[in-house]
Amino acid sequence: MPGGGQCPDCGSTELVEDSHYSQSQLVCSDCGCVVTEGVLTTTFSDEGNLREVTYSRSTGENDQVSRSQQRGLRRVRDLCRVLQLPSTFEDTAVAYYQQAYRHSGIRAARLQKKEVLVGCCVLITCRQHNWPLTMGTVCALLYADLDVFSGTYMQIVKLLGLDVPSLCLADLVKTYCSSFRLFQASPSVPAKYVEDKEKMLSRTLQLVELADETWLVTGRHPLPVITAATFLAWQSLQPSHRLTCSLARFCKLANVDLPYPASSRLQELLSVLLRMAERLAWLQVLKLDKRSVVKHIGDLLQHRHTLVRKAFRDGTAEMEAGEKELRGRCQGPEQGKEEVASSSLDLPEGKRPASPTPLLPPCMLKPPKRICPPPPVSTVTGDENISDSEIEQYLRTPQEIKDFEKAQAARQAARSVSNPP
Amino acid sequence: MVLQRQCNKTFLLMQGQRCCEYADDLAPPGSPLLSPIVPDDGYIPNTSNSETVFNSHLQEVKGASGHFSSVDLSFLPDELTQESKDQSVIRSKQDIEENCKTQSQQSRLSLPREQDMGLGLINDSTLSKSHSQAYPGDADSVQPSPEKPNSTPLMSITPMTPVTPVSECSGIVPQLQNIVSTVNLACKLDLKKIALHAKNAEYNPKRFAAVIMRIREPRTTALIFSSGKMVCTGAKSEEQSRLAARKYARVVQKLGFPARFLDFKIQNMVGSCDVRFPIRLEGLVLTHQQFSSYEPELFPGLIYRMVKPRIVLLIFVSGKVVLTGAKERSEIYEAFENIYPILKGFKKA
């Protein structure tokens, strides 16, 4: 605020230096009278030192917005551009950020939280448009901790009262699979490892659907399942050359990070496929294991609906009759004997079918780590007498106090010696 | 006394009606669940002997009190004598237990009964008697149900606090795992002195501005602040929490502070249970999106924020449910009864 100067109209001394487009003006903030104004046009010699002013900076809109909010909004736009999102997403994300900023808790939050808030707004926008963006990607781009991100995300969803749909698995499969660098030969990718994108995508989708149906996806992070499914799909398309390649090597070739749970998801998926293979007539005679079943994934996926129904029974239902299940293409003589066996019974001869195993999530199939005994019956009323001896057991005797103090002093002395000032 | 008994019968009738409303969707009419308390409105009565005893009582009651369309507790007398409360509570709980024995997990049933009785309504002697009679610890032992109904008259009343520890519908009772309570010792405390004189205390002012004290029985932890306020956690029941808090107060007293025991309040109760079937969390979040939050990238369970009662439930794919945020035990039971039919809807894949 410049000192001195009075408005000729109303006589107030509240004069503000403001600019209207590229013309600087001295304006009275009470009545709006323009007291003095600069030159609107510039001469050629003046222009040498001048710079272009963007429209958003020339209008006064950013003066009402705090600097940190401006920074945040800029980060939101940058993030949208880095992720190559459509322009409508940018506007929505910016609107969410502004909406969040109206809450005092957000305005007073630490910078780290405001930075993470940028990611949250973009993520919510993507989720609402079914754009498959994972939290891991956003955190990696923002160099943010997933814990901080999750706290801010849950808070902002609750604060703004938003309805955020779940991550769309099919779209995630498409985007994630497309990021695998296996569709063209290169120095790192031998010709036998190159695969057609469409075939791989469709097979991966089928495998992911199978995993979803057999309880391998619920409650778990979606990405490792997709990694495992992509690997199996890729292997099964040319098993003769690719069975020797491990999951870790595959991810390295494809230039994709291997998520840690992917190997256990792979084992789970393979065991599901093995159970299904036991129900397929021409595969029963072959003693399949987790490696050889990969060769037959194509067949298994083709008949997956019937096979899942046959191979697994409802976890809570009674066992169905075994005879019904093997109609049609049964070749070998099968006894169809009903076995009241648990799922651990793996038949050595491929002739008799195993009894259907329950279709349950893996956490329910594992034996309980420790059986919690029901807590003992407690007849506590809360008003019982408390004996002195019981309380005395928690108190130190005077001798113990002296010893303790001595020990503490010694420790303090030792610490000050070891940490010289 | 006679008037009291009639009121009691009517209350049980209404309990029975409510039971029938719930059970309508879930259990067929002829099931053993409904038979003992079935009112005379057209349910298929079973042919057991006990039925006639109940029915005659019920008809008497109906004549006396007229038609009840909803549960209305306003007529109940304000106080019952201790002795009639004792008897009636034991008997009613035995009744409810018999109803649900056929379709419930037996080991879970015995627990809340004792705990509810521990709430101070019953003295210990009647409690121990009923233990030996009606609560076999072994899940496989046979309930003496054929003899029971004939001898038990239908003049029992469930306790005044609207607690239904065993629902007629699910038969599963959440177990309390943790109780958090606070109490005001109403005197300024010297934390350094407490940490020096007490064996079971730890105090690290740089990390946290309170003494962390632990006792072995009941197994709990307390945070004692210099203002005299104390937080007690880890107890498995309200009474245990109160007893533990009193023990901590006594320790502080013995250390020379004029500690009192003011404003003891239970702040939070956590319970857990298992519905024993897998749950499709993706489906649940679709149908109940205004209450649920399911982010598998962040947490494997679904967070369900129930509005009435105001409880947060963590629902996992294995069927385990954690309920938290309750100030009263009944809120946990009520919340579980509300969620159980919803979860059953997602039982099949």
Side-chain angles (χ1 to χ4, degrees):
Chain A
M1 306 293 121
Q6 265 192 342
C7 170
D9 246 358
C10 63
S12 90
T13 50
E14 299 294 314
L15 299 180
V16 178
E17 179 107 14
D18 196 12
S19 54
H20 183 65
Y21 296 104
S22 56
Q23 182 185 38
S24 59
Q25 294 176 338
L26 200 62
V27 188
C28 167
S29 60
D30 280 341
C31 65
C33 163
V34 177
V35 179
T36 60
E37 56 187 21
V39 182
L40 182 60
T41 55
T42 50
T43 61
F44 182 68
S45 51
D46 290 337
E47 271 175 22
N49 295 335
L50 294 180
R51 284 187 214 275
E52 236 173 57
V53 178
T54 55
Y55 175 71
S56 58
R57 270 211 246 135
S58 65
T59 59
E61 66 178 33
N62 280 342
D63 295 344
Q64 288 136 20
V65 172
S66 68
R67 210 170 290 173
S68 73
Q69 189 177 353
Q70 284 178 38
R71 193 187 309 132
L73 294 173
R74 244 178 310 174
R75 292 284 290 149
V76 170
R77 286 186 218 275
D78 290 344
L79 192 58
C80 292
R81 273 176 222 148
V82 163
L83 291 167
Q84 296 174 337
L85 302 176
S87 52
T88 46
F89 287 31
E90 208 171 299
D91 300 330
T92 321
V94 162
Y96 281 142
Y97 195 87
Q98 284 169 335
Q99 208 180 337
Y101 230 82
R102 285 190 209 122
H103 295 261
S104 57
I106 301 290
R107 275 200 304 272
R110 300 226 157 105
L111 281 180
Q112 186 196 30
K113 193 161 183 177
K114 286 174 179 162
E115 177 75 7
V116 161
L117 184 64
V118 166
C120 294
C121 294
V122 174
L123 181 73
I124 294 171
T125 314
C126 289
R127 282 275 193 96
Q128 289 181 335
H129 290 93
N130 280 328
W131 188 278
L133 180 64
T134 58
M135 293 188 185
T137 314
V138 178
C139 286
L141 286 171
L142 294 176
Y143 304 112
D145 203 9
L146 189 65
D147 299 326
V148 182
F149 186 87
S150 73
T152 314
Y153 175 76
M154 303 299 282
Q155 182 192 3
I156 205 69
V157 168
K158 203 170 167 190
L159 203 58
L160 300 180
L162 294 173
D163 178 21
V164 185
S166 306
L167 195 57
C168 181
L169 211 57
D171 292 334
L172 182 62
V173 169
K174 286 189 201 127
T175 15
Y176 186 57
C177 278
S178 315
S179 72
F180 281 71
R181 297 263 148 272
L182 292 165
F183 310 123
Q184 280 169 342
S186 73
S188 50
V189 179
K192 291 181 187 152
Y193 286 3
V194 176
E195 190 51 68
D196 173 45
K197 188 168 170 182
E198 286 313 313
K199 273 199 259 175
M200 209 161 107
L201 263 180
S202 70
R203 194 161 275 204
T204 311
L205 260 171
Q206 290 177 343
L207 277 168
V208 170
E209 272 170 23
L210 176 66
D212 199 5
E213 208 181 318
T214 51
W215 295 102
L216 298 182
V217 171
T218 311
R220 274 98 168 265
H221 198 298
L223 211 65
V225 184
I226 304 178
T227 315
T230 315
F231 175 62
L232 277 181
W234 174 79
Q235 266 194 334
S236 64
L237 286 167
Q238 266 194 45
S240 45
H241 301 126
R242 296 175 185 170
L243 265 179
T244 49
C245 183
S246 70
L247 178 61
R249 190 159 160 245
F250 169 74
C251 288
K252 210 165 161 200
L253 281 173
N255 203 16
V256 166
D257 285 330
L258 172 63
Y260 172 72
S263 27
S264 80
R265 298 294 157 268
L266 180 65
Q267 298 306 312
E268 287 168 0
L269 201 46
L270 282 169
S271 61
V272 164
L273 288 165
L274 269 174
R275 293 250 173 277
M276 286 164 64
E278 282 165 12
R279 292 294 172 177
L280 202 50
W282 61 90
L283 293 181
Q284 281 170 358
V285 291
L286 308 164
K287 283 169 243 173
L288 292 175
D289 64 5
K290 283 189 171 170
R291 287 183 69 85
S292 42
V293 75
V294 178
K295 295 181 228 163
H296 307 282
I297 284 182
D299 284 341
L300 291 172
L301 287 177
Q302 204 178 355
H303 307 284
R304 64 184 183 277
H305 296 297
T306 35
L307 286 175
V308 167
R309 242 181 304 128
K310 285 183 194 175
F312 300 100
R313 60 182 166 89
D314 185 15
T316 52
E318 294 300 300
M319 294 241 290
E320 306 130 66
E323 296 83 60
K324 276 198 279 185
E325 297 178 347
L326 295 149
R327 293 175 285 136
R329 287 130 130 210
C330 281
Q331 287 171 352
E334 46 93 16
Q335 281 107 18
K337 209 162 85 174
E338 191 70 346
E339 287 174 78
V340 193
S342 64
S343 54
S344 57
L345 189 70
D346 234 298
L347 297 184
E349 306 91 39
K351 289 200 174 167
R352 276 182 299 165
S355 54
T357 56
L359 184 58
L360 292 173
C363 53
M364 285 180 86
L365 289 174
K366 288 185 232 173
K369 285 184 228 178
R370 51 188 164 151
I371 295 139
C372 284
V377 168
S378 156
T379 57
V380 173
T381 60
D383 294 314
E384 286 109 337
N385 279 334
I386 303 169
S387 64
D388 276 349
S389 55
E390 191 184 346
I391 302 296
E392 305 271 307
Q393 69 174 313
Y394 293 120
L395 303 177
R396 289 198 173 112
T397 60
Q399 182 57 41
E400 283 177 343
I401 292 173
K402 283 194 208 119
D403 293 339
F404 185 70
E405 275 181 315
K406 259 191 262 172
Q408 274 213 313
R411 197 179 77 183
Q412 271 297 97
R415 218 188 268 157
S416 61
V417 163
S418 64
N419 297 345
Chain B
M1 202 56 185
V2 173
L3 183 63
Q4 238 179 30
R5 283 205 186 133
Q6 289 220 325
C7 294
N8 298 349
K9 274 188 253 175
T10 323
F11 183 73
L12 193 61
L13 165 66
M14 292 188 307
Q15 284 287 86
Q17 277 185 341
R18 210 175 72 195
C19 146
C20 296
E21 277 159 29
Y22 278 122
D24 238 334
D25 310 333
L26 302 172
S31 76
L33 174 65
L34 292 180
S35 50
I37 319 182
V38 74
D40 253 351
D41 336 333
Y43 283 98
I44 306 159
N46 70 11
T47 51
S48 72
N49 282 339
S50 54
E51 189 64 1
T52 51
V53 177
F54 285 86
N55 275 342
S56 60
H57 281 286
L58 285 169
Q59 277 162 13
E60 197 186 296
V61 167
K62 260 201 163 170
S65 11
H67 172 67
F68 292 92
S69 55
S70 64
V71 179
D72 174 22
L73 305 181
S74 57
F75 67 93
L76 282 175
D78 283 341
E79 72 252 344
L80 303 170
T81 62
Q82 184 65 20
E83 159 215 349
S84 65
K85 249 199 253 176
D86 293 351
Q87 291 177 340
S88 42
V89 172
I90 298 175
R91 285 200 200 110
S92 67
K93 289 190 193 249
Q94 287 171 356
D95 279 341
I96 297 177
E97 187 186 29
E98 277 144 25
N99 295 342
C100 290
K101 256 326 185 215
T102 45
Q103 58 176 79
S104 64
Q105 329 235 313
Q106 298 175 349
S107 56
R108 291 169 195 275
L109 284 184
S110 48
L111 178 64
R113 235 53 72 49
E114 280 89 40
Q115 299 214 344
D116 275 327
M117 291 181 170
L119 277 170
L121 286 180
I122 317 273
N123 54 27
D124 286 357
S125 57
T126 44
L127 184 66
S128 50
K129 265 190 252 161
S130 61
H131 274 237
S132 51
Q133 277 175 4
Y135 302 103
D138 183 17
D140 289 334
S141 67
V142 177
Q143 255 297 326
S145 49
E147 311 95 63
K148 271 272 175 226
N150 280 330
S151 54
T152 314
L154 191 60
M155 43 196 81
S156 42
I157 189 171
T158 48
M160 296 297 275
T161 50
V163 169
T164 37
V166 176
S167 158
E168 297 83 342
C169 318
S170 72
I172 305 171
V173 186
Q175 280 185 17
L176 288 181
Q177 302 291 350
N178 185 23
I179 313 267
V180 177
S181 57
T182 53
V183 72
N184 186 6
L185 302 177
C187 66
K188 291 277 172 274
L189 300 174
D190 180 358
L191 297 185
K192 271 197 150 53
K193 183 181 175 199
I194 295 177
L196 182 60
H197 288 251
K199 275 191 229 180
N200 54 346
E202 60 181 84
Y203 179 47
N204 195 345
K206 288 182 199 156
R207 209 170 57 166
F208 191 54
V211 163
I212 301 166
M213 196 181 281
R214 296 187 168 88
I215 57 173
R216 283 181 280 271
E217 184 54 47
R219 197 169 230 285
T220 49
T221 305
L223 302 173
I224 306 175
F225 293 86
S226 55
S227 60
K229 300 263 172 72
M230 182 171 82
V231 179
C232 173
T233 61
K236 300 276 189 202
S237 77
E238 303 91 319
E239 306 81 37
Q240 283 185 11
S241 191
R242 189 187 163 82
L243 180 63
R246 284 175 57 224
K247 288 190 182 175
Y248 288 113
R250 186 68 77 78
V251 170
V252 171
Q253 263 179 1
K254 284 232 183 277
L255 290 172
F257 298 96
R260 295 164 67 197
F261 196 76
L262 306 178
D263 310 322
F264 175 79
K265 184 177 178 211
I266 305 254
Q267 300 289 355
N268 186 25
M269 298 172 76
V270 181
S272 71
C273 58
D274 188 1
V275 300
R276 300 283 172 117
F277 52 80
I279 302 168
R280 285 276 172 208
L281 301 177
E282 310 95 3
L284 183 57
V285 76
L286 275 177
T287 50
H288 290 80
Q289 62 199 77
Q290 63 270 50
F291 306 114
S292 331
S293 156
Y294 171 55
E295 293 289 339
E297 296 176 79
L298 296 177
F299 188 63
L302 186 148
I303 303 169
Y304 192 100
R305 294 180 192 274
M306 196 176 279
V307 171
K308 186 176 176 350
R310 208 163 144 266
I311 300 282
V312 174
L313 297 94
L314 302 176
I315 303 167
F316 295 90
V317 67
S318 56
K320 301 218 166 36
V321 180
V322 174
L323 307 99
T324 182
K327 291 271 196 290
E328 300 266 323
R329 184 190 285 254
S330 55
E331 287 176 11
I332 293 210
Y333 296 146
E334 196 188 330
F336 182 67
E337 289 316 314
N338 289 349
I339 201 78
Y340 188 72
I342 297 171
L343 295 180
K344 275 193 89 169
F346 287 94
K347 202 171 168 175
K348 304 282 178 180

